[in-house]
Amino acid sequence: MKALYGQQNSPGEEMTFVFQERENLPATRDHDVKVQVRACALSWLDTKLLSEIKLKKELVPVGREISGVVLEVGSKVTFFQPDDEVVGILPLDSEESGVCEVILVHEHYLVHKPEKVCWAEAAGTVRDGLRAYTALHYLSQVSPGTSVLVLDGASPFGTIAIQLAQHRGAKVISTAHSLEDKQYLERLRPAGGRVIDVSHGKIDVAESCLEETGGLGVDIVLDAGGTSRGSSCCPGNSSCLVPH
């Protein structure tokens, strides 16, 4: 059985990807769930973050968002049983690569997969879905009647955030960085609210929000399109977004 890992021998060096042959998995521990992987999302590997939190290793597991079928559960697992369909996110310190046939996952990193959601969609949306839900429910406590500004609304995160905010009864305003993004947001059903086109740099987002809310402004701003490191993150890369 093979698993995919990223290898970076020195800082700044381009990462190479290698398949490592794995022998049999270790015995299932009390809270472990053995999952047969059906789909895995390939997310960007932030090696700088791993290094900062002392998790940098020679071989970095590739693929953290997975969906699959439960094969076996540990003696103290209470949420799952064999043949359950699950989706989850492997933790940063996991030794397991999601690009593998069978993996062991702690039960707290898994949830049941909705029956009508396919394997690929479950693995592909769980990361941004959890980020959006955390931002709206836990960090900002969105509620009916609040107004939410979602920056870069046509991104995967932005699309889910718009839908979740509307589901909670909030008024949504979003920005678009191109005509294609604007058209995409306007085609969302239910409609994604007011779309502010900032592609030409002639629109003042703050003024547009004040106009849309009768001078009150928005209650919540979601901006996941930038990096706090600014221009030092990707020198020479003009497409690298910084916080709005």
Side-chain angles (χ1 to χ4, degrees):
M1 182 168 60
K2 294 182 178 181
L4 185 64
Y5 292 85
Q7 187 172 29
Q8 189 176 34
N9 297 320
S10 60
E13 180 183 309
E14 186 175 347
M15 180 169 287
T16 57
F17 296 94
V18 295
F19 278 102
Q20 290 287 103
E21 191 68 43
R22 299 187 58 186
E23 298 182 3
N24 294 331
L25 289 173
T28 305
R29 294 168 296 187
D30 289 346
H31 291 281
D32 279 348
V33 178
K34 184 181 288 185
V35 178
Q36 181 181 43
V37 178
R38 294 294 182 86
C40 177
L42 297 178
S43 300
W44 176 61
L45 292 175
D46 192 341
T47 55
K48 184 173 178 62
L49 171 63
L50 293 176
S51 178
E52 288 175 353
I53 60 177
K54 311 301 182 186
L55 288 177
K56 187 67 180 295
K57 294 169 278 193
E58 182 182 350
L59 293 176
V60 183
V62 174
R64 294 178 53 219
E65 299 85 43
I66 58 101
S67 60
V69 178
V70 174
L71 298 177
E72 183 183 330
V73 297
S75 59
K76 294 185 179 179
V77 172
T78 56
F79 296 115
F80 307 102
Q81 57 187 4
D83 297 326
D84 281 353
E85 297 182 349
V86 296
V87 57
I89 303 177
L90 305 181
L92 283 175
D93 61 354
S94 174
E95 300 289 339
E96 300 279 354
S97 167
V99 185
C100 190
E101 293 179 14
V102 179
I103 61 174
L104 287 177
V105 190
H106 192 287
E107 65 173 327
H108 291 167
Y109 299 119
L110 297 170
V111 295
H112 287 95
K113 181 183 75 67
E115 183 179 350
K116 294 182 180 180
V117 179
C118 73
W119 301 112
E121 289 175 349
T125 58
V126 65
R127 176 175 177 266
D128 284 314
L130 184 60
R131 292 170 68 210
Y133 185 81
T134 300
L136 290 168
H137 182 74
Y138 292 107
L139 301 180
S140 59
Q141 300 174 349
V142 67
S143 59
T146 56
S147 54
V148 181
L149 171 63
V150 179
L151 294 158
D152 195 13
S155 64
F157 168 84
T159 300
I160 295 176
I162 289 171
Q163 294 172 327
L164 285 177
Q166 288 182 318
H167 179 69
R168 295 295 297 272
K171 175 185 178 66
V172 179
I173 304 170
S174 60
T175 65
H177 290 277
S178 68
L179 178 60
E180 292 77 9
D181 285 355
K182 183 175 185 292
Q183 292 173 340
Y184 166 77
L185 291 171
E186 290 174 342
R187 288 196 300 267
L188 285 180
R189 292 292 179 269
R194 165 75 185 277
V195 180
I196 304 172
D197 185 356
V198 297
S199 59
H200 302 296
K202 300 177 181 178
I203 300 295
D204 187 301
V205 176
E207 287 185 4
S208 299
C209 290
L210 288 171
E211 178 184 340
E212 188 68 19
T213 58
L216 297 176
V218 296
D219 302 298
I220 301 164
V221 179
L222 294 188
D223 185 359
T227 167
S228 60
R229 302 188 186 104
S231 58
S232 64
C233 174
C234 309
N237 183 2
S238 60
S239 64
C240 181
L241 298 176
V242 295
H244 301 284

